[in-house]
Amino acid sequence: MIQIKNLTLRRGVKVVLQDATLSLNPGEKVGLVGRNGAGKSSLFSLIAGRLQADAGDFEMPAKWTLGEVAQTMPETDQSATDFVLDGDLPLVAARQRVAAAEASGDGHAIGDAYVAMEHAGAFDAPARAQSLLLGLGFRTDQLDAPVNSFSGGWRMRLQLARALMCPADLLLLDEPTNHLDLDALVWLEGWLKRYDGLMIVISHDREFLDAITKVTVHLDNATLTRYGAHYSGFEAMRAERLEQQQAAFARQQEKIAHLQRFIDRFKAKATKARQAQSRVKALDRMARLAPVLVDAEFDFEFRQPQNLPNPMLNMRDLACGYPGPTPGGPPITIVRHITRTVMAGQRIGILGANGQGKSTLVKTIAHALQPLAGDFTEGKGLTVGYFAQQELDLLSEDDTPMQRMVRLARETGATGNEAREQELRNFLGQFRFAGDMVHQTVGTLSGGERARLVMATIVWQKPNLLLLDEPTNHLDLNTREALSVALNEFEGSVMLVSHDRSLLREVCDEFWLVTAGGVLPFDGDLDDYQKWLLEVSRANSRGLPPPPLPGFMTPAPVAEAPRTATARPVPAASPKAAARDTAGTAAQPGSFRRDDRRQSAQARAQLANRTRPLRQEIEQIDRRLEKLNAERATLEADLARGTLPGPEIAELGRRLNHIAAEVAMLEERWLELQSELEAITAEG
């Protein structure tokens, strides 16, 4: 087992752990949680032996094998399979033993070495390595490809597969889901559930933690607290504990106040001096409880769109892809025959394995790529807010948040107070860019900070269509919750690509599936999708054809397209399914759920139309109140100086009276509008 006793750990001047105590048992699956910067990765470095404790004890069995995902990007010409095989440390040691024995020519040593090779599972190791690669989304033609031929995200998947390859007693996983799509994430969950060693995982994915962990360790204020529950259970238990602590603190404060009143009242009276002195000693002996301090919640909201065109988008036989590798050569088509419409108020989750074309579709809608064929029509007044999977695709490393906002304000035609530096500072402050952070270059910002900056630029533009491609990759749980709330309050349309199932469940009303070179409606929810993925995995392992999508016939086999050629065509749907897709009236399995989601989207759009005039008037009142309060503060400052002549003082007084009357009238109207808005929202 792992035992931490009264341990103190420092990184520079920062205290990461102070007198921390914790025990973890073999076979436990542990989620390590805490705010960004609390020191979770430092604790991993301590467990892995890269850091030493400043005080206290850390104990772990010396014979344990440690598996960990390396955070460095691999640079090697090794094949993907061989790279993953090298993660099996006992196998690597056995191979080295065989090489040494054969070099020595010692027959007994050679025999013993080959026995060790067999015990290390050398004969089925390549199959196990390739099974890991396929589960994490690699294609069969990529198994022997050199590591250097893969992009950064795929190389990090290789590092994950290499860590899983090791038969470890202790497995450390730091944000293992960041570079995975939903298909690979579901596979990884199943694999980790079968893992029988001690596992400690850092993750900001609530559903992932709930699925694979049974213990939660909370790192907060340099202390470690163990909870015997998954993440959702931890939240409930911690809330109860904080409530109890706050109640105990309040009771103690009342007792302290009572004792202090007695001391203050009777300390000067001879007849009560002894009793007063005893209460002074009682106060001195009392172990003072600290008030409950929790991290401030992060929240933001999308600004109200200027208009809501309906439909937002209309795609007819659209083909998406990339220019050819050679000038003038044929383009590479990834998805084709897309015939879909995006209506105002729709919330669409885009599902599909990596490489199928989800990001390609989103980039085409965002004009980052040009359509290769077909018709693409935008509604009048469409304004797109685009969050790219790689934040640096939208930001310059040499920019600062302030420079980015100044340029954006100029591009969007912002004038007056809205474009002043102080207003831009205030706006960035809403996204946790305070003080000198507004002048810090983007290249030095963390992934979470860059993601918040991109979100700030999107909010500023007042979009009516949000295209979000993996927006939560670097966001902590608090920021993910804030994003979910903001998206649910957003009046426009949302198209979301994400492996965060909690966000997909909370935001999306319907799903599109990008598969086999096309885009199909998915009749079902995320649970149905996960079941379908598991059925696909079972069919693949048995060499059977893939199961049909809900509401569709099993597609006819289609030959695999070359990597440089166009992708495969959309699978043929049944006549009923095709009729339903074009007319939307045929009752197929799951269509009732899709109709419910469509009705929900329509109801939300109707509610937005009803409340828009009220919201606009409230915004106008807010702006007017802000100007009046600023003017009142200036006038009161002029009066306070006392240097004005009598007539000007009288004029200032009259103006202050007029301002007070207008403020009172506006505040009363603001309350009326808010009440009306709440009533309409409650009806909806």
Side-chain angles (χ1 to χ4, degrees):
M1 66 186 303
I2 289 180
Q3 285 193 318
I4 296 174
K5 298 178 181 177
N6 303 319
L7 189 140
T8 297
L9 177 65
R10 292 184 176 89
R11 297 298 301 270
V13 297
K14 180 181 178 181
V15 178
V16 177
L17 294 174
Q18 183 73 51
D19 297 326
T21 298
L22 176 70
S23 294
L24 299 175
N25 303 308
E28 288 186 324
K29 293 181 170 61
V30 182
L32 177 61
V33 301
R35 60 178 175 79
N36 280 356
K40 301 186 294 294
S41 295
S42 297
L43 178 57
F44 266 24
S45 295
L46 172 75
I47 295 172
R50 293 187 294 274
L51 291 178
Q52 299 298 317
D54 294 280
D57 299 316
F58 171 77
E59 298 177 3
M60 185 176 76
K63 64 179 182 180
W64 272 16
T65 302
L66 172 67
E68 185 180 17
V69 181
Q71 297 302 308
T72 56
M73 199 71 69
E75 291 289 347
T76 175
D77 291 329
Q78 268 187 305
S79 72
T81 299
D82 289 341
F83 179 78
V84 173
L85 277 172
D86 282 349
D88 191 335
L89 300 182
L91 177 60
V92 171
R95 285 177 170 175
Q96 291 172 347
R97 183 175 173 183
V98 167
E102 290 179 341
S104 69
D106 185 337
H108 289 292
I110 292 173
D112 292 341
Y114 274 101
V115 170
M117 279 271 286
E118 184 178 355
H119 288 165
F123 301 108
D124 66 345
R128 287 188 284 116
Q130 292 181 353
S131 175
L132 290 172
L133 290 170
L134 294 172
L136 289 173
F138 290 84
R139 301 192 309 270
T140 54
D141 63 317
Q142 295 176 316
L143 298 178
D144 294 319
V147 170
N148 287 344
S149 67
F150 293 100
S151 65
W154 286 97
R155 291 194 210 182
M156 293 311 297
R157 290 199 193 200
L158 286 170
Q159 292 284 33
L160 175 58
R162 186 181 174 113
L164 300 181
M165 187 68 191
C166 182
D169 303 287
L170 170 63
L171 183 60
L172 301 180
L173 299 176
D174 190 349
E175 295 291 356
T177 66
N178 268 1
H179 300 281
L180 303 184
D181 55 19
L182 194 52
D183 303 52
L185 192 153
V186 170
W187 176 89
L188 179 63
E189 278 184 5
W191 194 96
L192 292 176
K193 287 176 182 177
R194 297 190 299 273
Y195 174 70
D196 56 7
L198 170 60
M199 180 186 70
I200 309 175
V201 58
I202 298 171
S203 177
H204 292 131
D205 188 326
R206 174 193 299 271
E207 290 206 22
F208 180 70
L209 288 173
D210 282 350
I212 66 168
T213 65
K214 302 296 182 185
V215 176
T216 300
V217 173
H218 185 213
L219 175 51
D220 184 49
N221 292 324
T223 62
L224 295 171
T225 307
R226 175 186 168 112
Y227 295 81
H230 55 36
Y231 184 80
S232 295
F234 147 74
E235 279 193 321
M237 295 167 69
R238 181 170 182 253
E240 183 178 355
R241 176 179 291 189
L242 291 176
E243 186 176 350
Q244 292 171 350
Q245 289 178 353
Q246 187 61 36
F249 173 76
R251 289 194 299 269
Q252 187 184 69
Q253 291 301 109
E254 290 178 4
K255 185 176 181 180
I256 291 171
H258 177 74
L259 292 173
Q260 192 63 52
R261 284 195 299 270
F262 186 93
I263 294 167
D264 294 341
R265 184 176 180 184
F266 296 114
K267 64 183 178 181
K269 291 190 177 182
T271 56
K272 295 287 187 180
R274 181 173 296 177
Q275 292 93 326
Q277 189 61 32
S278 69
R279 282 161 174 76
V280 170
K281 292 179 179 179
L283 276 178
D284 292 338
R285 290 194 304 269
M286 186 179 294
R288 302 297 178 94
L289 299 176
V292 174
L293 300 176
V294 296
D295 295 334
E297 292 295 324
F298 172 67
D299 64 89
F300 72 98
E301 61 182 12
F302 291 98
R303 296 177 169 185
Q304 181 180 329
Q306 299 289 352
N307 57 4
L308 289 176
N310 199 16
M312 294 267 182
L313 294 172
N314 201 350
M315 295 172 278
R316 289 290 176 267
D317 205 24
L318 186 71
C320 307
Y322 298 87
T326 57
I332 301 172
T333 304
I334 306 298
V335 280
R336 57 171 60 185
H337 303 312
I338 306 170
T339 299
R340 312 294 303 163
T341 300
V342 179
M343 307 299 291
Q346 273 188 293
R347 303 288 202 272
I348 301 166
I350 302 177
L351 307 175
N354 269 12
Q356 292 294 317
K358 302 188 300 294
S359 294
T360 306
L361 172 62
V362 171
K363 286 179 180 178
T364 303
I365 297 174
H367 299 298
L369 291 173
Q370 293 298 315
L372 301 182
D375 296 325
F376 180 80
T377 307
E378 297 182 350
K380 184 177 180 181
L382 180 71
T383 304
V384 174
Y386 174 45
F387 189 108
Q389 188 169 355
Q390 301 296 328
E391 297 90 354
L392 288 179
D393 288 349
L394 303 173
L395 301 171
S396 170
E397 287 199 44
D398 297 328
D399 258 355
T400 68
M402 179 58 72
Q403 289 172 342
R404 180 72 185 95
M405 290 307 304
V406 168
R407 190 163 59 252
L408 184 60
R410 193 181 303 121
E411 291 170 356
T412 55
T415 57
N417 289 341
E418 193 177 29
R420 286 170 44 201
E421 180 177 341
Q422 187 57 51
E423 293 301 318
L424 296 177
R425 274 183 172 273
N426 294 342
F427 179 78
L428 286 169
Q430 299 174 32
F431 294 86
R432 291 182 176 169
F433 292 97
D436 291 338
M437 278 193 72
V438 300
H439 297 304
Q440 190 174 337
T441 58
V442 167
T444 64
L445 298 178
S446 69
E449 289 164 345
R450 289 199 297 266
R452 292 202 306 274
L453 179 57
V454 172
M455 203 63 68
T457 63
I458 292 174
V459 169
W460 179 271
Q461 298 172 68
K462 299 181 182 179
N464 45 36
L465 173 62
L466 291 176
L467 302 175
L468 307 179
D469 191 355
E470 297 291 358
T472 64
N473 268 353
H474 300 288
L475 301 183
D476 59 23
L477 281 160
N478 281 343
T479 311
R480 291 185 185 208
E481 293 288 345
L483 176 61
S484 174
V485 172
L487 289 175
N488 277 305
E489 294 178 350
F490 177 60
E491 292 186 3
S493 301
V494 177
M495 299 182 72
L496 173 62
V497 178
S498 179
H499 65 263
D500 188 326
R501 287 161 296 178
S502 179
L503 184 67
L504 287 168
R505 290 184 202 278
E506 292 167 4
V507 172
C508 298
D509 298 318
E510 62 182 285
F511 296 99
W512 293 358
L513 179 61
V514 182
T515 182
V519 178
L520 305 173
F522 187 84
D523 285 328
D525 54 23
L526 282 181
D527 292 329
D528 297 323
Y529 182 60
Q530 289 187 207
K531 291 176 185 175
W532 181 74
L533 289 177
L534 292 174
E535 291 173 2
V536 170
S537 178
R538 290 194 204 99
N540 289 340
S541 65
R542 297 170 184 171
L544 300 174
L549 290 174
F552 283 84
M553 299 285 285
T554 304
V558 182
E560 183 72 38
R563 295 181 65 183
T564 57
T566 58
R568 289 178 290 175
V570 181
S574 67
K576 291 183 179 180
R580 181 202 56 208
D581 192 34
T582 54
T585 57
Q588 291 294 307
S591 64
F592 297 109
R593 277 178 294 188
R594 196 174 64 168
D595 290 342
D596 289 342
R597 293 195 297 267
R598 184 181 294 111
Q599 291 171 6
S600 175
Q602 291 173 349
R604 187 166 51 247
Q606 291 172 359
L607 179 62
N609 289 331
R610 290 180 62 193
T611 60
R612 186 175 299 107
L614 301 178
R615 294 181 187 275
Q616 289 174 341
E617 188 174 352
I618 288 173
E619 285 187 3
Q620 292 172 356
I621 292 175
D622 284 336
R623 288 195 293 270
R624 180 59 181 163
L625 285 172
E626 185 178 350
K627 291 181 180 179
L628 290 173
N629 287 327
E631 184 182 356
R632 178 162 55 187
T634 301
L635 296 177
E636 289 174 347
D638 291 342
L639 285 174
R641 285 198 293 270
T643 58
L644 297 174
E648 289 190 24
I649 293 176
E651 179 61 31
L652 289 182
R654 284 193 293 272
R655 180 56 188 155
L656 283 172
N657 287 335
H658 289 154
I659 289 174
E662 186 176 356
V663 166
M665 180 189 68
L666 289 173
E667 288 178 344
E668 184 175 353
R669 176 58 181 163
W670 189 92
L671 290 172
E672 291 175 359
L673 291 169
Q674 281 287 48
S675 299
E676 189 175 349
L677 183 63
E678 290 171 3
I680 293 175
T681 304
E683 291 174 8

